[in-house]
Amino acid sequence: MQHFLKANPQHFETLCTGEQKCSIRKNDRNFQVGDEVIFLEYDTVSERCTGDSHLLHISHIENFGVRQGYVALSLSLSTLS
């Protein structure tokens, strides 16, 4: 399954480079390990997507230690095989 999620420019950059390997998200989409997440860069000033996107995969999901109703998604960079 694919999920389209917005990310502000700072987080978008660290997700794209692999520097940030986790994202805390509201658990409202039935996230599953192996799902694809397409992050859309979202400019909070103009309140619009910039047109940049990046594909990552969910490698692990954890709900321990995060606010109820939220999950920590462990993300891995997409690679071509």
Side-chain angles (χ1 to χ4, degrees), residues 15-72:
L15 286 165
C16 290
T17 61
E19 183 180 338
Q20 180 180 338
K21 298 180 184 345
C22 179
S23 184
I24 307 296
R25 294 289 170 159
K26 188 172 186 178
N27 192 14
D28 60 353
R29 298 171 184 254
N30 192 28
F31 294 111
Q32 299 292 317
V33 171
D35 285 357
E36 295 179 333
V37 180
I38 299 167
F39 281 96
L40 306 170
E41 185 177 33
Y42 183 78
D43 183 350
T44 56
V45 175
S46 67
E47 297 184 348
R48 292 188 163 178
C49 289
T50 67
D52 289 337
S53 62
H54 195 71
L55 173 67
L56 295 138
H57 289 93
I58 298 174
S59 57
H60 181 76
I61 301 172
E62 183 65 63
N63 62 2
F64 180 76
V66 293
R67 186 173 163 186
Q68 187 172 359
Y70 286 77
V71 290

